[in-house]
Amino acid sequence: MLPGQAVAAPRTKLASTSAELSARPRASATQVYLLRGFLNVFSLGMDSLADELRSVGISATVSNHASWESTADDIAADYRAGRRGPIVLIGHSLGADAVMMMGTYLGQMGVPVSLIVPFDGTGPHVASANVARVLNFHKSDNVITRGPGFHGELTNYYVSDSSVTHMNIDDNSRLHRIVISKIRG
């Protein structure tokens, strides 16, 4: 051994492979979480939006609305571990309701949320103080209102196009472009 050369302990990994490094979220990388609605068979527009996001280099994961709390717990754990990039929550139908609940839940844990995008939720909700922006696409009268301490940007966007319904609003390419632009903006 040469003077000044480090000695690795047995079984100590000296370097990670590039595949391992790319699999881990970067500290400043935007993380997008998309939630499908009822029975996990509807809201497949969330999958196509996730694919579109990935194609422009934005990390996106899709899951069922019923898993919102465990997903939020994972987000909070990542935040506490130092992964402080922007957090974006997107959902359709029951998934839209779930992302609004996630925003509130993350606020209770001290986690800021950069953007929430509900696609035609099934009920009215309030934006919590930890959320910077809400872009609510809706066909029904279910709008998002400002909750206590919310000082962010709130847009309730009624989709007037008669060909867009609750069942296909999540797969609308024009709305996807708006969301991607908002995330990248």
Side-chain angles (χ1 to χ4, degrees), residues 107-178:
Q108 293 166 355
M109 293 186 280
V111 178
V113 176
S114 178
L115 173 65
I116 298 180
V117 184
F119 280 80
D120 208 29
T122 67
H125 293 279
V126 297
S128 56
N130 63 308
V131 177
R133 299 173 295 160
V134 177
L135 173 58
N136 178 37
F137 295 116
H138 64 101
K139 289 296 290 184
S140 64
D141 291 334
N142 294 323
V143 296
I144 308 299
T145 57
R146 295 175 180 277
F150 178 81
H151 298 290
E153 176 186 313
L154 173 60
T155 305
N156 284 294
Y157 183 91
Y158 178 74
V159 181
S160 60
D161 183 341
S162 61
S163 69
V164 176
T165 67
H166 178 78
M167 297 302 289
N168 68 11
I169 191 171
D170 63 305
D171 205 22
N172 184 280
S173 60
R174 183 174 64 84
L175 300 181
H176 285 195
R177 285 191 302 275
I178 292 169

Side-chain angles (χ1 to χ4, degrees), residues 27-103:
S28 63
T30 299
Q31 296 294 308
V32 180
Y33 302 88
L34 300 99
L35 299 182
R36 292 186 207 104
F38 189 64
L39 295 177
N40 213 30
V41 294
F42 300 105
S43 309
L44 296 180
M46 296 292 97
D47 295 81
S48 59
L49 179 54
D51 289 340
E52 292 171 51
L53 288 163
R54 288 184 206 111
S55 76
V56 296
I58 299 170
S59 175
T61 59
V62 181
S63 58
N64 182 265
H65 69 93
S67 66
W68 75 264
E69 194 168 355
S70 64
T71 301
D73 288 337
D74 291 344
I75 293 168
D78 284 347
Y79 184 80
R80 286 190 299 273
R83 295 182 200 99
R84 301 285 171 102
I87 296 166
V88 177
L89 309 174
I90 303 172
H92 172 245
S93 190
L94 292 174
D97 299 336
V99 295
M100 292 305 298
M101 290 185 286
M102 281 176 75

